């Protein structure tokens, strides 16, 4: 499978007209095919807004986004995106397997994974995320971490070229989050999708991504783009490397400066 | 029946014991009060007199008059609920139409049914139509309000998910709005089921030659309070049965955990 690159040029987003809030301002970011990019920043910096602009759910007020020669809206119509939300957003009336098969039912003939084996494909995805024994459970019968894994399997079920993830593991405990991070790296390694991953955890961003993009808040601007010096596949032990600590410290420092600026601005 | 199902039946029976006990205590208090106070029987029949009246007249009342009342109620229920669901579908897809029509739905709800019934009897005579229409009118509003609320009870993320899948309106409606509305629809249908019986009886008061409402009105002219009580008991029992039939359908339709709304 081939990934698809994304070019974000001078994207700005303003809510509520002229006097409104500037959520994003002059965002430039080029993501190559198959790359894993993490967006980090304080809450309210417009990370989620940027994901929604890239996926064609929101129209930016300035600038443009190019998804391999298509506008985001065209790419969305071609079902190039998989989206994992902050909440699992499963349909409670469908069983776990039914939720993973939902995209197939909605897409019908447009599903590239369509074929006689599509239930098999869904079962394999559930096995990849460690849920093979829970196919027949309802979402209400499994834990929060499991639900988020079902959401991941659902997003991957139609081989989207680009995977967009909006703080998918933010509500989970540390152990579950570590395990899901490993599973995510494993799955992405297999599919080679382009990933844009929003998180507020610097450690999670460095562990997962090829590049980490720091955003400032109000207005959201790119303050730093850091290359992550570790090869893939990675194990959890990279987090104890001195370079990992150094990069974490550097990015955290940026966030703190940001906080001081914000504080000073409020005192004015 | 598996042992698990049987134990569930036993559990349900045990849970309803206190309510049954209240019923029995009520009957005893009624019986004792009527006998001790020595009130005239034509005004206050005792519980046992009503019971024997039910034994004597109940079967023929149920086979004839109650059957008619329930046919009217169920037809009205189906018609009113169907119209309400259709209206809710229109409301959800055309906000403008909702803004124009919803105030009139409220007006319709505030019109006293008792006042409309004689008018319908003038128009349609002693036929089935006025009863069905009144039952339908009384069912319409609770189903409309609940269904509209149900169609809207979806998270913005679920809608975004469907847009990411570039789903059609049709697909969003069938795969998302309809299933997520079902708990609300059933909550509305349960309210409507009991109201429909009331609507049919009220319509029968204003002009009918059969039905429980007709029997009660006729009995009142003759001061036959025993028969009136028997009619009241039969019609409310029928209402309870209707309510429970809808409840059973609800349990069949909503099988996922925590699907049913708390009443």
């Amino acid at each position: 499978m081939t990934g698809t690159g994304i070019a974000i040029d001078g994207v700005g987003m303003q809510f509520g007209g002229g006097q409104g809030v500037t959520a994003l301002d002059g965002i430039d970011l080029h993501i190559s095919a198959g790359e894993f990019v993490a967006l980090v920043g304080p809450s309210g910096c417009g990370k989620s807004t940027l994901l929604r602009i890239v996926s064609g759910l929101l129209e930016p007020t300035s600038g443009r986004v190019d998804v391999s020669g298509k506008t985001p809206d065209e790419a969305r119509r071609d079902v190039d995106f998989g989206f994992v939300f902050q909440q699992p957003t499963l349909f409670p009336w469908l069983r776990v397997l039914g939720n993973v098969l939902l995209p197939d039912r909605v897409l019908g003939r447009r599903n590239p994974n369509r074929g006689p084996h599509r239930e098999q494909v869904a079962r394999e995805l559930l096995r990849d995320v460690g849920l093979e024994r829970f196919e027949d459970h309802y979402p209400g019968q499994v834990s929060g971490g499991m639900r988020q894994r079902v959401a991941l399997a659902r997003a991957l079920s139609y081989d989207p070229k680009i995977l967009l993830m909006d703080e998918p593991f933010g509500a989970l405990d540390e152990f579950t989050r570590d395990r899901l991070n490993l599973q995510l790296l494993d799955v992405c390694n297999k599919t080679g999708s382009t990933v844009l991953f929003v998180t507020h955890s610097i450690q999670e961003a460095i562990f997962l991504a090829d590049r980490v993009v720091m955003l400032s808040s109000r207005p959201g601007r790119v303050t730093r783009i850091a290359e992550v010096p570790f090869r893939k596949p990675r194990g959890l032990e990279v987090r104890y490397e001195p370079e990992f600590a150094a990069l974490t410290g550097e990015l955290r420092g940026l966030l703190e400066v940001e906080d001081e600026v914000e504080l000073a601005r409020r005192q004015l | 029946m598996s042992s698990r199902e049987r134990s569930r039946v036993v559990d349900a029976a045990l849970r309803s014991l206190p309510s049954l006990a209240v019923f029995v205590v009520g009957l005893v208090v009624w019986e004792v009060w009527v006998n001790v106070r020595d009130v005239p029987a034509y005004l206050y029949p005792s519980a046992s007199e009503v019971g024997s009246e039910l034994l004597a007249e109940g079967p023929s009342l149920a086979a004839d008059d109650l059957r008619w009342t329930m046919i009217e109620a169920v037809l009205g229920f189906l018609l009113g609920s169907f119209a309400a669901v259709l209206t809710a579908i229109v409301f959800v897809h055309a906000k403008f139409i909702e803004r124009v029509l919803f105030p009139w739905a409220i007006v319709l709800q505030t019109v006293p049914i008792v006042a409309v019934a004689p008018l319908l009897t003038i128009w349609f005579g002693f036929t089935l139509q006025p009863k069905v229409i009144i039952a339908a009118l009384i069912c319409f509003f609770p189903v409309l309000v609940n269904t509209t609320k149900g169609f809207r009870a979806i998270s913005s993320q679920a809608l975004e998910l469907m847009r990411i899948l570039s789903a059609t309106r049709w697909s969003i409606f069938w795969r998302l709005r309809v299933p997520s509305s079902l708990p609300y629809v059933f909550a509305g249908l349960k309210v409507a089921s009991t109201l429909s019986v009331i609507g049919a009886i009220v319509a029968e008061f204003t002009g009918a030659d059969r039905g429980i409402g007709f029997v009660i009105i006729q009995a009142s002219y003759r001061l036959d309070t025993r028969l009136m009580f028997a009619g009241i008991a039969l019609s409310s029992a029928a209402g309870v049965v209707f309510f429970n039939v809808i409840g059973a359908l609800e349990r069949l339709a909503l099988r996922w955990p925590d699907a049913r709304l708390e009443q």
Side-chain angles (χ1 to χ4, degrees), chain B residues 4-18:
Chain B
R4 227 175 93 203
E5 279 169 35
R6 192 173 307 139
S7 77
R8 210 182 304 156
V9 170
V10 171
D11 277 355
L14 284 176
R15 258 201 314 277
S16 51
L17 262 183

Side-chain angles (χ1 to χ4, degrees), chain A residues 35-101:
Chain A
E35 196 181 9
F36 195 130
V37 170
L39 288 174
V40 194
S43 25
C45 72
K47 305 178 296 250
S48 303
T49 307
L50 187 56
L51 276 196
R52 282 170 171 75
I53 289 172
V54 168
S55 59
L57 292 173
L58 280 177
E59 190 76 22
T61 38
S62 60
R64 62 186 298 271
V65 177
D66 179 279
V67 184
S68 286
K70 293 187 250 189
T71 68
D73 210 47
E74 284 163 353
R76 181 179 66 78
R77 281 170 210 281
D78 290 346
V79 210
D80 286 347
F81 301 110
F83 208 119
V84 182
F85 298 90
Q86 239 166 326
Q87 273 84 42
T89 321
L90 303 179
F91 289 3
W93 51 88
L94 298 176
R95 291 167 197 272
V96 163
L97 186 65
N99 269 288
V100 178
L101 283 167

Side-chain angles (χ1 to χ4, degrees), chain A:
Chain A
M1 225 202 82
T2 54
T4 302
I6 306 165
I8 302 168
D9 287 303
V11 161
M13 186 73 190
Q14 208 150 16
F15 288 112
Q19 301 285 309
V21 186
T22 307
L24 293 170
D25 185 34
I27 304 284
D28 291 308
L29 182 61
H30 288 231
I31 301 167
S32 29
E35 196 181 9
F36 195 130
V37 170
L39 288 174
V40 194
S43 25
C45 72
K47 305 178 296 250
S48 303
T49 307
L50 187 56
L51 276 196
R52 282 170 171 75
I53 289 172
V54 168
S55 59
L57 292 173
L58 280 177
E59 190 76 22
T61 38
S62 60
R64 62 186 298 271
V65 177
D66 179 279
V67 184
S68 286
K70 293 187 250 189
T71 68
D73 210 47
E74 284 163 353
R76 181 179 66 78
R77 281 170 210 281
D78 290 346
V79 210
D80 286 347
F81 301 110
F83 208 119
V84 182
F85 298 90
Q86 239 166 326
Q87 273 84 42
T89 321
L90 303 179
F91 289 3
W93 51 88
L94 298 176
R95 291 167 197 272
V96 163
L97 186 65
N99 269 288
V100 178
L101 283 167
L102 173 81
D104 178 70
R105 304 257 191 277
V106 173
L107 294 173
R109 270 169 298 152
R110 291 177 300 160
N111 185 6
N113 258 349
R114 193 168 175 87
H117 306 301
R118 55 188 189 275
E119 268 198 27
Q120 199 50 48
V121 171
R123 289 215 168 84
E124 271 165 32
L125 278 167
L126 282 173
R127 204 179 51 221
D128 287 348
V129 295
L131 288 177
E132 63 272 31
R133 289 188 298 114
F134 296 93
E135 287 172 5
D136 293 327
H137 285 59
Y138 284 105
Q141 294 166 327
V142 300
S143 71
M146 290 176 174
R147 273 177 235 163
Q148 203 51 278
R149 282 186 271 171
V150 178
L152 178 60
R154 177 182 61 193
L156 295 168
S157 69
Y158 50 99
D159 278 352
K161 298 188 175 93
I162 297 161
L163 195 55
L164 304 169
M165 305 181 81
D166 187 7
E167 291 186 37
F169 309 137
L172 305 178
D173 64 85
E174 211 180 320
F175 302 105
T176 316
R177 183 189 268 228
D178 282 350
R179 210 170 53 233
L180 290 188
N181 279 343
L182 282 172
Q183 281 171 343
L184 177 63
L185 279 186
D186 195 40
V187 168
C188 290
N189 192 34
K190 272 192 215 166
T191 60
S193 334
T194 309
V195 186
L196 192 49
F197 187 101
V198 163
T199 175
H200 52 237
S201 159
I202 292 172
Q203 290 218 0
E204 187 179 41
I206 298 174
F207 176 66
L208 290 172
D210 303 315
R211 275 193 299 162
V212 176
V213 177
M214 293 288 292
L215 290 179
S216 62
S217 70
R218 273 175 284 249
R221 286 196 184 110
V222 176
T223 51
R224 170 114 161 70
I225 299 180
E227 298 274 346
V228 178
F230 305 109
R231 288 179 163 281
K232 284 181 175 174
R234 293 174 193 161
L236 288 172
E237 66 282 351
V238 300
R239 295 186 301 182
Y240 307 113
E241 302 276 339
E243 288 145 292
F244 195 101
L247 190 52
T248 310
E250 187 195 330
L251 295 179
R252 182 146 295 147
L254 268 177
L255 267 185
E256 277 159 15
V257 169
E258 168 84 10
D259 280 348
E260 278 162 29
V261 170
E262 175 73 22
L263 209 64
R265 195 188 298 157
R266 275 188 209 163
Q267 279 163 353
L268 278 176

